[in-house]
Amino acid sequence: MTKLDLAALLPQLVSIVQDAGELIVRNSTLPKDIRKKGGNDLVTETDVAVEEQLKHRLIELLPESKFLAEESSAQNTLGDLTWVIDPLDGTTNFAHGLPFVATSVALWGQGRPVLGVINLPLLREVFAASYGGGAWCNGEAIHVSTTSELSQALVATGFPYDIKTYLPEILNNLEKFLPRTRGVRRPGAAALDLAYVACGRYDGFWESALHPWDTAAGLLLVTEAGGRVSQYDAHEKYIPGDTGILATNGLLHETMSDLLCTEA
């Protein structure tokens, strides 16, 4: 990867993602053209339009870059100088008029995300991070929570689209965490969940069967905000696309990992 001025690129990326978010805002009150990609996995015309707008603008920003995008990529391969794009995370929420939707864009290079933006257009919040440059929400620096006791923690999770395959695991983990925490939330958009860990609203998050575009930007946000990300096993490095992700404020990481890795 050629040497990039990440500090200069980040505000340009934020502007590009915010502009695409306005398309989501405009379309949020219009009738939805909804189709299924499989099972309960939905796609709307807005998903496709936002992705196309992002790709057009991002290739202008970095002409030598490549794309790994949810609606147009045939495989989940992370390459050097690759934009990793989820145009509309939380499509089911969007289809039902819920505001918990996100656009997630990361720039992947040299084995890590180096830029990341998660825009919550209907909630008017933009989270941004650069490698080594910290994490921000609407221009204000953010940091993970300082909660150190699981009993005081608010945590989040998600449910894979292949619910039948993962139902035993989901129920097993809920049985572990519900009685041991202050609460478990499931908004239905992994990018939003990771942004909320980064800014301290959640103390931890776990989910299985996510794609690289779901987590690449959030991985950078959480780590730059002082948190920790791994596979369910705290000793296994997480690469977007791995089977399961655990993201926490760091203080709860080993505790949550132990629960996830232990049979009920």
Side-chain angles (χ1 to χ4, degrees):
M1 184 179 74
T2 57
K3 186 173 179 60
L4 299 175
D5 185 348
L6 299 178
L9 283 172
L10 184 59
Q12 297 178 75
L13 176 59
V14 168
S15 179
I16 289 169
V17 177
Q18 282 184 299
D19 286 347
E22 291 308 303
L23 182 58
I24 295 174
V25 173
R26 290 196 299 271
N27 289 358
S28 64
T29 58
L30 300 178
K32 311 295 191 300
D33 180 14
I34 302 168
R35 58 184 173 84
K36 286 188 176 183
K37 291 190 288 186
N40 288 322
D41 193 359
L42 307 182
V43 63
T44 70
E45 74 283 359
T46 303
D47 296 72
V48 177
V50 170
E51 184 171 305
E52 288 304 310
Q53 180 172 323
L54 286 168
K55 290 169 70 174
H56 176 74
R57 295 282 304 279
L58 292 171
I59 203 67
E60 291 179 341
L61 183 63
L62 284 178
E64 68 272 36
S65 60
K66 300 179 288 292
F67 295 101
L68 176 59
E70 180 176 13
E71 305 306 336
S72 59
S73 295
Q75 56 187 6
N76 292 354
T77 303
L78 288 165
D80 206 27
L81 206 61
T82 298
W83 294 108
V84 189
I85 302 170
D86 191 337
L88 209 174
D89 188 19
T91 300
T92 301
N93 289 341
F94 181 72
H96 287 267
L98 296 176
F100 309 122
V101 302
T103 296
S104 177
V105 179
L107 180 64
W108 187 268
Q110 296 181 342
R112 65 172 68 93
V114 295
L115 291 174
V117 173
I118 294 175
N119 183 28
L120 312 181
L122 301 179
L123 299 175
R124 294 301 182 185
E125 289 188 319
V126 184
F127 297 82
S130 61
Y131 181 68
W136 312 82
C137 177
N138 289 353
E140 299 291 331
I142 56 174
H143 198 275
V144 294
S145 74
T146 58
T147 304
S148 59
E149 298 294 330
L150 191 60
S151 62
Q152 304 302 310
L154 183 67
V155 299
T157 189
F159 305 151
Y161 288 115
D162 186 4
I163 195 72
K164 290 182 179 179
T165 298
Y166 288 92
L167 186 58
E169 175 189 316
I170 291 167
L171 296 177
N172 182 24
N173 287 331
L174 287 174
E175 186 175 359
K176 296 173 188 175
F177 281 96
L178 281 169
R180 291 179 171 90
T181 62
R182 185 164 283 173
V184 178
R185 299 291 181 263
R186 193 265 176 173
L192 178 149
D193 292 324
L194 289 164
Y196 279 12
V197 172
C199 71
R201 293 173 187 166
Y202 294 152
D203 303 297
F205 164 73
W206 81 92
E207 187 170 349
S208 294
L210 293 170
H211 297 283
W213 46 76
D214 296 311
T215 61
L219 166 60
L220 181 63
L221 274 167
V222 172
T223 54
E224 286 295 324
R228 184 175 172 188
V229 181
S230 71
Q231 296 183 38
Y232 283 2
D233 183 338
H235 304 290
E236 295 292 334
K237 181 180 179 180
Y238 176 79
I239 301 295
D242 284 343
T243 301
I245 184 173
L246 171 63
T248 74
N249 62 5
L251 300 173
L252 296 172
H253 207 83
E254 298 288 343
T255 301
M256 291 186 66
S257 173
D258 288 345
L259 283 175
L260 289 168
C261 295
T262 302
E263 295 295 329

